Structure formats: C-alpha cells, structure tokens
Amino acid sequence: MFEGSVYRRCKCRTPKLDDAGQPVTDSKGNTVVRELGASCPDLKKRDHGSWYYYLKLPDGPLGERRRPRKGGFSTAKEAKKAAQKLWDEDQSGIDIDSKETVAQYLRRWHTKRVDLKRTTHTDYRDYLERVFIPALGHLTMRELRARHIQAVFEAIWAENKVKEANREAAKNAEQACRAAHQAWKAAAKPRPPELRQAWHQAKAELKEARSKPRQDTGPGRQKKFLDALSSALKDAVGEKLIAQNWCDSVTIPKYHKPDPLVWTPERTARWRQTGERPGPVMVWTPDQTGQFLDAAVDHPMYIMWHLMIFRAPRRGEASGLRWAEVDMTKGSANITEQLVTDSSYTMWEDAPKSRSGKRTITLDSATFALLAAWHDVQKEQRKEWEANHREDPEKYGPYVDSGYVFTRPDGRPHNPNNVSQAFARLIKRLDLPPVRLHDLRHCAASLSLAAGLSMKAIQALLGHSSYSLTADTYTSLMPQFEQAAADAALDLVPRQKPSEGESDIESGSTDEGSAPTDADAAPKPAEPAPGTQGEQAGTAPRLRLVAAASPDVKEAA
C-alpha cells in the first residue's frame, strides 16, 4: 500500500484577506484571489470538485523531498488506483521524476548507438526525425502509450489512400495527354492551334499530377519504422524510463518477404505484352542467363557479373573484393569486407552484412580463368593510364593503386550504385526480362540447387546467417527440373500397357507411351542478343582477350 493520502478539493476562488480581514489588492488595485481548495463548503455536493492523491516517496539521491501530487479524478477509488500505480512503478525502479520528452530521448538514444552499421544508423535517424519525432516528440516518455504509436501508423495508412488516388490521377492524366497528342498529330495541316493548346494543357496537368506523392509506404517499410522505434523503447525500459515497450501492442500490416520467381516462358510472354513484372524478385532461367553472359562478354563489368551469377557475392562484396583476398593457387576468394554507398554516391568500406557473411568461396573454373586473365589486363590498363598521365596530367589524374579486383581504368573501384545502373541499362538494351543486380544471387542459388547442391552448401555460398532463411527462400527448383521431380513418384507405380483401343489418357501415358521429357517441354532458346560496346573506351577488346584466354569459359557459361 502506498504512503500518502487522497483528498478532495476544487478550484473555487475567494478574495484573499489580510490580517485585518480586508481584501488584499495588487499594485494595480485589483483584488487578489485564492483557491478555496479543500475548504470549499460546496465540496459536500457529489459533483463538485475532484479527487487528488498525495504520495510520500523515498527521498532522492541528494536528499531531496519527493512528494508528487495529482488531481482531476472523479472518485477517491480512481485517485487511490493511480497513486498505487505510481508508487509501484517507483518501487520497481522506474524514474517517475523524469521529464524527458520523446524527442529528447530518441535523439539521445540514436547518438549513443555507435554500434550500428553506418547505413542502419542513417536509416534510423531518418525514421525517427521524419516519422516519430514530429508526431510524438512533444510527449514525455512517461506520457507515451501504445495508442499514440498506433495513431502514427493509422496516419500512414490514410496517407497511402491519398497516394493511391494520386497514382490513379497521374494514370488518367497520362492517358489524356497521350490522347491530346494523338489528336494533334492526326489533324490535317495546318493543324488547328486549339489542338496544340489542348496538348500543352494536358502536359501541364500531367506534370502537376506526377509532382504529387504516389509511392506507398508499404508493409515492409512500416515494419522497419516500428522495429527502429521498438529498439529505442526497449532501451528505455532498461533505463527504467517506461514500464514496458509500447511497440509490442501496436498492430501493422503483416509483411511477407517476397519469394524469388523464375522467368518462365508464360511470365516472359505476359511481361512483353503488358510490361508488368510478376513479382519484385525475379530469377532468370539457365537459357536466359546464358544469353546475358554471351551478350555481356564485352562489357567492362562482365567478369564481376560472371562471379555474381555463379558464386553469389553481394554487389558490395564483389566491388570490395581485393586481390590480397584472392588465392590464385587454390582458386578461392575470401569475403572479408564490402563497399557501401548511399543515395549521394558517397562510398565507404564496411564489414559484410552479417557475421556469416565473412566466408571463403571456391571459384569455379571459368571464373578462375577469367580472373587470371583479367589480372594481366589490369596491369596493362595501369601502364596505359600512367603513360597518359605523364603526357596529359590535367586530363588523366594519377593512377590509384587501390588493390581492388574490379577497378576502373584509373585503378579506382566501381561504385556499387554505378554497377547496378550499368547492369539495368544493359539488360534493357538486350531486351531480357528484367531482374535486379541483387537477383543474380538468387540466380546463383537456383542454379546451384538445380545442379544438386544441398541447401546447407547453398547457405554457405550465400553467406546466410541461418539455414531456415535459405530453405524458406529457395523452396522450388528451376522449372525444367520440376518435371523430373513430379515424375519420380509416377515411375514407382507399375502400370499395364494400354490394350488395343484403350485411351492413352486413361492409362496415363502419351502417344509414345511415356511422359513428355524436359527436352520436349522446354522452349527452344532464343537467339543470343547482340553484344554491346564497352562503356569505357578501349575495354571491350581487352575483355574479348580475357574470354579467349579460357577455352572452357563458354561451356561453363
């Protein structure tokens, strides 16, 4: 039971009297008033005044008295309940005297989190400053509740509906602009000026429609917001600023991590017809992968992409690979660091994504041959650049001996953002079904799975932190290998040959008396897309030499 009391008082006022019983006035002659408080005669009425509590808490560490009071309760029972709750929190170690606001705490918490990776630290600052502090920052940590956080996400959902309307408006404006342009173009010359005016008006409306926010804050992004705040409030519980992590009681849309989908012939045909991707994470078939490798052989980043397709490093891990970590005797590469970049293209070195990301990968024979030849080409590039630097130092800066495997002609490593953009431009030029650069890891996993590698081996190849992450992501084989798995059970059941006149369908066989083979079902591979010119002058001929240096490169690809 708490130490203290509950009492009733009101806000009624009466003139303040001096010792002689006369009203006290201020310097301007106004009468000074005071509250009647607990002495108000109207407190006998049931609906007059309110109940207060008064607590006698243990003195503070410096001997300061701690006597909190609070009123506004309708009944004595409510006042006692609130007093007991505050007493219990104090006894459990909660800092009930803290006046720190949510904004002050979140910024203090973010500053001390020096253990976070740089990208995570930056993302957390964005979430806190852009989402939570504007909505919750004015509250004290003692006032914060789950309903306040829930209201933040309800506002996000309402904003998503506005963005959906903006997307629809932009779509309609685009159609109207296209129609106005066609009307102007189809008109006989001299074209009526009102048609041009209507077209320009439609373009202006389209520009305005596109200027409004249209990108949803989806379940995945909302989960990141909540995770960041939950991490902060977890520490607040540890500091005894709050009694519990209020994020645990917040509900947001369930996030389902997208599974990789293979670009089957049906999905590819649908994409070519509508331009719609079946999912955010797509994987090429072996035929499509081969088309890409054949067409990209002249590209300056070909060997990096070849490594990513077959040995699955992340883009930052491939960009940050150093020759010192490549064992050309054993044919292996140590993934010990990565290059990371942000939206402003600032680049820095960092550890791999997780502890399991530090791994050693064995190079396949084709990639090993390509790297061996590329090492010689890189040396020639350095000689050529240094010669150009001596002749024209203003145009050609000094060569940078960075030690990275994949470099630009001046020795500097590739920015990971540039690698992604170059990859996207190339596959668009080749008219291949679109995949992200990161999806090459999924290609590597799918190819390894189809080749018979165990899920544990694929986990080690990818550097995943858990077996379940790998197994949950890659649960199906490539389409051309699924038929064999489906027919495996069928082949175990002996069946009589169909008698004369019996339907082949009834017997479960085809006209030839057997199920269609993969070769029969699989579509014929398309002609390889034409090659592209290297994006850096003088690089394409060297890369052709690299490919020619390894006779088995084409077979492995």
Side-chain angles (χ1 to χ4, degrees):
M1 185 66 181
F2 65 88
E3 293 184 16
S5 62
V6 296
Y7 56 94
R8 196 175 177 190
R9 61 175 294 159
C10 69
K11 297 289 185 179
C12 294
R13 298 173 181 271
T14 187
K16 186 176 181 180
L17 305 178
D18 57 17
D19 295 338
Q22 298 299 317
V24 178
T25 58
D26 58 17
S27 60
K28 296 182 180 180
N30 298 322
T31 301
V32 178
V33 297
R34 65 179 181 85
E35 290 185 358
L36 288 175
S39 62
C40 179
D42 290 335
L43 285 178
K44 296 178 181 179
K45 301 177 182 179
R46 179 176 297 180
D47 59 349
H48 192 75
S50 63
W51 286 90
Y52 286 70
Y53 67 69
Y54 165 73
L55 288 180
K56 297 180 180 178
L57 297 178
D59 291 344
L62 301 179
E64 64 272 20
R65 287 166 55 87
R66 301 168 67 228
R67 302 292 187 265
R69 302 171 186 262
K70 187 175 181 181
F73 300 99
S74 301
T75 64
K77 184 177 180 180
E78 290 181 2
K80 289 180 179 178
K81 182 178 180 180
Q84 188 65 52
K85 182 176 182 294
L86 189 65
W87 175 271
D88 293 341
E89 288 181 352
D90 182 74
Q91 295 300 303
S92 66
I94 299 296
D95 185 4
I96 65 171
D97 297 320
S98 173
K99 299 296 188 293
E100 189 173 29
T101 65
V102 173
Q104 290 170 339
Y105 170 73
L106 291 180
R107 290 184 176 123
R108 177 170 66 84
W109 172 81
H110 181 263
T111 301
K112 78 174 185 179
R113 289 304 305 271
V114 295
D115 57 318
L116 296 174
K117 282 183 174 291
R118 181 170 170 177
T119 50
T120 305
H121 198 266
T122 301
D123 288 344
Y124 277 14
R125 180 175 63 244
D126 174 58
Y127 304 157
L128 300 180
E129 295 288 349
R130 181 168 54 88
V131 179
F132 294 114
I133 289 179
L136 308 174
H138 62 285
L139 299 171
T140 65
M141 290 296 290
R142 297 270 307 133
E143 295 170 336
L144 183 64
R145 294 293 184 271
R147 65 178 182 274
H148 300 128
I149 305 171
Q150 188 71 61
V152 173
F153 288 95
E154 290 173 358
I156 291 175
W157 305 337
E159 188 178 0
N160 280 345
K161 291 183 178 179
V162 174
K163 292 177 179 177
E164 183 180 2
N166 291 344
R167 287 196 302 272
E168 186 65 24
K171 182 179 178 181
N172 294 336
E174 185 177 1
Q175 293 174 350
C177 184
R178 189 180 298 113
H181 178 251
Q182 290 297 330
W184 173 81
K185 192 175 181 180
K189 296 181 179 180
R191 297 185 176 99
E194 57 269 18
L195 291 180
R196 174 179 283 275
Q197 184 178 0
W199 177 30
H200 286 307
Q201 178 65 26
K203 286 197 295 184
E205 292 174 355
L206 176 59
K207 182 178 180 180
E208 181 181 358
R210 286 177 172 173
S211 66
K212 297 178 180 178
R214 292 171 288 156
Q215 184 65 43
D216 273 353
T217 303
R221 180 64 62 177
Q222 293 179 43
K223 184 177 184 301
K224 289 183 177 181
F225 292 167
L226 188 60
D227 287 347
L229 184 61
S230 179
S231 180
L233 296 190
K234 180 180 178 182
D235 282 4
V237 173
E239 291 185 20
K240 300 296 185 179
L241 289 176
I242 54 178
Q244 65 185 81
N245 188 339
W246 301 112
C247 289
D248 295 341
S249 302
V250 174
T251 302
I252 61 173
K254 192 169 183 61
Y255 171 66
H256 298 281
K257 186 176 180 180
D259 292 326
L261 299 176
V262 178
W263 276 113
T264 61
E266 295 78 13
R267 288 170 178 158
T268 302
R270 177 67 178 171
W271 164 73
R272 294 193 183 282
Q273 190 177 43
T274 65
E276 298 176 358
R277 294 181 55 162
V281 182
M282 300 303 299
V283 181
W284 280 330
T285 63
D287 285 343
Q288 293 161 344
T289 305
Q291 291 177 38
F292 169 76
L293 289 171
D294 287 340
V297 69
D298 285 339
H299 197 282
M301 300 179 187
Y302 167 74
I303 302 177
M304 183 191 297
W305 295 335
H306 190 285
L307 174 68
M308 296 174 72
I309 286 174
F310 290 104
R311 307 315 296 157
R314 299 174 177 87
R315 71 170 191 176
E317 294 170 350
S319 301
L321 182 63
R322 296 179 182 270
W323 283 115
E325 299 301 330
V326 179
D327 190 332
M328 296 303 291
T329 303
K330 297 180 180 179
S332 63
N334 300 316
I335 305 298
T336 59
E337 65 181 27
Q338 62 175 338
L339 288 179
V340 186
T341 185
D342 56 20
S343 57
S344 63
Y345 284 75
T346 302
M347 188 169 59
W348 65 91
E349 298 174 0
D350 204 343
K353 186 175 181 180
S354 63
R355 184 176 180 180
S356 56
K358 290 187 176 182
R359 62 199 186 279
T360 299
I361 57 176
T362 301
L363 303 174
D364 59 274
S365 57
T367 304
F368 178 81
L370 287 169
L371 286 176
W374 168 249
H375 197 260
D376 295 334
V377 171
Q378 196 177 49
K379 293 177 181 178
E380 292 299 321
Q381 279 188 337
R382 177 172 185 170
K383 292 179 181 178
E384 183 177 333
W385 186 272
E386 289 177 341
N388 291 333
H389 173 63
R390 288 191 294 270
E391 295 178 3
D392 191 354
E394 293 186 2
K395 183 178 180 180
Y396 298 91
Y399 185 85
V400 180
D401 187 9
S402 63
Y404 288 102
V405 173
F406 303 110
T407 57
R408 301 162 66 178
D410 63 353
R412 292 179 296 162
H414 293 287
N415 188 297
N417 280 346
N418 290 337
V419 178
S420 295
Q421 292 173 4
F423 178 78
R425 287 194 299 268
L426 181 58
I427 62 174
K428 184 176 182 179
R429 194 183 313 146
L430 298 176
D431 196 31
L432 284 169
V435 298
R436 306 169 304 164
L437 179 65
H438 186 76
D439 293 338
L440 294 186
R441 277 171 55 82
H442 302 309
C443 288
S446 298
L447 290 171
S448 299
L449 195 60
L453 268 70
S454 67
M455 199 66 72
K456 193 67 178 176
I458 296 174
Q459 175 195 348
L461 175 68
L462 298 174
H464 280 170
S465 57
S466 68
Y467 177 88
S468 60
L469 174 62
T470 309
D472 291 345
T473 305
Y474 306 103
T475 54
S476 62
L477 297 172
M478 285 291 191
Q480 56 266 55
F481 297 97
E482 292 178 353
Q483 187 63 51
D487 288 344
L490 185 67
D491 294 339
L492 294 176
V493 180
R495 301 294 303 277
Q496 294 181 353
K497 292 183 179 180
S499 59
E500 187 175 352
E502 182 181 354
S503 169
D504 291 332
I505 297 178
E506 293 174 357
S507 67
S509 62
T510 63
D511 290 340
E512 291 76 22
S514 62
T517 63
D518 296 335
D520 296 330
K524 293 182 178 179
E527 290 294 328
T532 57
Q533 297 298 322
E535 296 194 354
Q536 298 168 348
T539 308
R542 293 191 180 95
L543 287 178
R544 279 194 288 270
L545 290 175
V546 171
S550 176
D552 59 341
V553 167
K554 299 290 280 186
E555 292 183 9

